[in-house]
Amino acid sequence: MKRLLSICILLMAACITASAEYYDFKVNDIYYKINSDGTTVSVTRKSVSTMEKTYWGDVIIPSTVTYNGTVYTVTKIAKQAFTINDLVSVTLPPTITTIGERAFASCNDMVAVLGGGGVTSIGDAAFSGCDSLKRAFFGENVLTIGDEAFINCTVLKEIQVGNKLTTIGQSAFSRCLEMRGVNLTNNIQSIGESAFYACWYNFENGLVIPSTLTTIPRYAFESCHYMSSLKIPSSVTRIERGAFYNAGTSGLKSLTIPGSVKYLGRNAFTNLRECTSLTISNGVDSIDIYCFSRLCSLQSVTIPSSVKWIGKRAFQDCEKLSTVNYNATDCAGITFSQNDSSWFFAAPITKVTIGESVKTIPHNLMFNQTKLASVTIPGTVTSIGANAFAGCTNLMDIYVAHKAPVLLSADIANAPVHAKAFVHVPEGCDKYYKGRDYWKNFQYIFDDNGTYQPAAEGDINHDGVVNVSDVAALINKILGK
């Protein structure tokens, strides 16, 4: 029992000593700690406990402070110096260069940070959770902003950090919903994940990614709703998962991916609902799953010849996407179960044109595209994967330029398509297609060099109406008359 009492007394003494030594002196109700150089000081708190409030109201920090006849320059706000205090505002002198980790965290009543022209570094979580903060001015010399520095400063509207920034940490401005004023220049060397998550307005005048960056990190600009434009430089080689998820939902109309980008991550551009123009430049190698899902205003897309891999449902729910130009040369052999569906799941595609560079059409390319009406296959294609057009119940015309029947290792369609689609092949080649495995499953194969194009379903003779004469025309076609 005596031993336990002794331990408790020692612990209490240690706590008292820690509290007493947390600051070196106090002047005008501000606590200071002398820095290791002996000539400068940091603003600190009264005790190690963040539960003991030290400051309140409007605090003005001086450039210098005199204690025991020595003049000290104030250069730093120490770690947790003002955490959970009842500040209304703080005015920083130009001598302060560093704001420490969690220095002002959870100061829920603070509305403004003023002065601060000498600040070069803002530490991790320095202003996190300051949910009343509206203005924060730090001059033109800030170089580094730490992880979560301003996270959840939800009403912060005005911020000044200058154009010298080199590093922006993870979630640095996450959920600064109303913030405006952070510019990204070519001084930027790194941006952390979720750095600008849910910064609704900061890029309302557009975003130009600095040419110093090679990777756009995960969720970096997610939910920047009012992003009006986006320019990605040729320095960028990777765009990671969710980088622009839900961005530009109220203004981004056009998107160009430069050929320097080799990898486009999962959900990288999901839900860009107003984007009407998408250019994927030649050079792009991989498009991950759901990458361009829910581009609800997009009407056409071209897959460049350089693409070697596309993840499932990459263009899911692009509800106006009607035309696909498929040019991927080596994107063959990609298989996915029919339950996972195609790259274009729930997109109302009506026309697919296969480019002259394509040799192999992948398995399940247009599986279950029930609105697909027309497919054009050039003479360069030598094989077509299984079920490439299965379930395309409205497919009317398949135009095949290859004279010798294109190799099919399995059926490319199913019974409803076999019974309805018209296969157009070069003149004199219909007999070869009719005798070849899987091709012969199609009921209608014509050697018309693609000149036969019904204007509407059932309008076989192109007279603009569907009547008994179309039946006769169809019979004559089948009989070769």
Side-chain angles (χ1 to χ4, degrees):
M1 185 66 180
K2 288 182 179 180
R3 178 177 175 82
L4 179 60
L5 181 60
S6 299
I7 292 173
C8 289
I9 292 171
L10 288 172
L11 288 173
M12 290 175 64
C15 289
I16 292 171
T17 301
S19 176
E21 294 181 351
Y22 204 73
Y23 67 96
D24 292 317
F25 61 87
K26 171 187 173 184
V27 175
N28 294 331
D29 294 323
I30 297 178
Y31 294 85
Y32 297 95
K33 186 79 173 176
I34 300 172
N35 297 329
S36 59
D37 61 11
T39 62
T40 63
V41 293
S42 299
V43 177
T44 186
R45 61 189 305 115
K46 182 179 179 180
S47 72
V48 70
S49 173
T50 58
M51 300 307 295
E52 182 178 354
K53 294 186 177 181
T54 306
Y55 303 102
W56 53 87
D58 299 305
V59 174
I60 300 175
I61 299 172
S63 296
T64 60
V65 62
T66 302
Y67 179 71
N68 284 344
T70 301
V71 178
Y72 298 94
T73 301
V74 183
T75 61
K76 183 177 180 180
I77 306 295
K79 176 180 178 180
Q80 297 182 323
F82 294 90
T83 300
I84 320 179
N85 275 252
D86 295 330
L87 295 181
V88 173
S89 71
V90 62
T91 301
L92 305 176
T95 54
I96 286 183
T97 60
T98 303
I99 298 175
E101 178 183 336
R102 300 190 62 79
F104 295 90
S106 300
C107 290
N108 296 327
D109 296 323
M110 185 168 67
V111 298
V113 179
L114 306 172
V119 173
T120 60
S121 174
I122 300 173
D124 293 349
F127 296 89
S128 63
C130 293
D131 53 15
S132 295
L133 184 63
K134 294 181 178 179
R135 294 177 295 157
F137 301 122
F138 302 99
E140 298 291 331
N141 297 304
V142 180
L143 301 176
T144 302
I145 296 177
D147 295 347
E148 300 184 355
F150 295 89
I151 191 171
N152 290 328
C153 293
T154 54
V155 299
L156 177 61
K157 290 185 177 181
E158 300 175 73
I159 186 168
Q160 182 186 38
V161 292
N163 294 323
K164 297 179 181 179
L165 276 173
T166 61
T167 303
I168 299 174
Q170 292 185 17
S171 301
F173 297 102
S174 181
R175 290 189 57 78
C176 292
L177 305 180
E178 301 185 32
M179 184 184 73
R180 297 169 172 85
V182 177
N183 299 316
L184 302 184
T185 71
N186 286 336
N187 290 317
I188 292 287
Q189 299 300 315
S190 67
I191 295 176
E193 293 182 7
S194 301
F196 291 92
Y197 166 70
C199 291
W200 291 354
Y201 295 100
N202 194 67
F203 304 107
E204 61 184 351
N205 295 320
L207 169 61
V208 177
I209 299 296
S211 60
T212 47
L213 295 181
T214 58
T215 298
I216 301 176
R218 289 158 56 105
Y219 309 110
F221 302 97
E222 179 186 355
S223 295
C224 293
H225 291 305
Y226 294 94
M227 185 185 294
S228 59
S229 63
L230 173 61
K231 184 176 181 180
I232 301 170
S234 58
S235 62
V236 174
T237 59
R238 292 180 65 89
I239 299 177
E240 300 293 350
R241 178 174 181 170
F244 297 95
Y245 184 101
N246 215 31
T249 55
S250 297
L252 186 61
K253 306 289 187 183
S254 177
L255 175 63
T256 298
I257 311 298
S260 62
V261 178
K262 303 306 176 186
Y263 172 74
L264 296 171
R266 176 174 182 166
N267 293 110
F269 297 95
T270 292
N271 212 34
L272 275 63
R273 303 183 68 86
E274 293 192 8
C275 183
T276 58
S277 173
L278 171 62
T279 301
I280 305 173
S281 301
N282 199 38
V284 173
D285 184 275
S286 300
I287 301 173
D288 214 332
I289 64 176
Y290 306 107
C291 181
F292 295 104
S293 58
R294 297 203 301 274
L295 269 65
C296 297
S297 299
L298 187 67
Q299 297 183 30
S300 66
V301 66
T302 296
I303 308 298
S305 60
S306 58
V307 172
K308 293 180 174 61
W309 184 81
I310 302 176
K312 70 179 183 181
R313 302 194 183 198
F315 296 87
Q316 173 179 311
D317 293 325
C318 294
E319 59 190 36
K320 292 185 179 179
L321 181 59
S322 60
T323 302
V324 174
N325 300 305
Y326 182 84
N327 297 322
T329 303
D330 298 318
C331 201
I334 297 175
T335 60
F336 40 84
S337 71
Q338 294 175 2
N339 290 331
D340 284 337
S341 200
S342 75
W343 300 325
F344 304 97
F345 178 75
I349 296 169
T350 59
K351 181 180 180 181
V352 176
T353 299
I354 309 299
E356 296 288 342
S357 63
V358 178
K359 296 180 179 180
T360 301
I361 296 175
H363 308 288
N364 303 311
L365 175 65
M366 288 289 142
F367 178 78
N368 263 1
Q369 295 298 321
T370 58
K371 295 185 181 298
L372 183 63
S374 173
V375 177
T376 300
I377 301 172
T380 54
V381 172
T382 57
S383 66
I384 303 175
N387 296 307
F389 306 106
C392 299
T393 53
N394 281 305
L395 183 56
M396 291 294 296
D397 295 287
I398 302 174
Y399 300 97
V400 187
H402 210 292
K403 291 184 177 181
V406 178
L407 177 65
L408 305 181
S409 58
D411 208 334
I412 64 172
N414 56 356
V417 181
H418 295 149
K420 189 172 187 178
F422 288 66
V423 179
H424 308 272
V425 301
E427 186 174 359
C429 297
D430 57 330
K431 58 185 177 182
Y432 304 120
Y433 278 83
K434 289 178 180 177
R436 184 59 63 90
D437 285 346
Y438 304 115
W439 282 112
K440 64 184 179 182
N441 294 339
F442 289 93
Q443 295 185 30
Y444 308 116
I445 300 178
F446 303 118
D447 61 341
D448 53 19
N449 284 320
T451 59
Y452 175 73
Q453 301 180 40
E457 185 174 359
D459 184 14
I460 306 302
N461 60 8
H462 284 215
D463 63 359
V465 295
V466 178
N467 54 29
V468 69
S469 64
D470 294 299
V471 177
L474 179 58
I475 292 173
N476 287 335
K477 277 284 184 181
I478 294 172
L479 296 176
K481 296 182 179 180

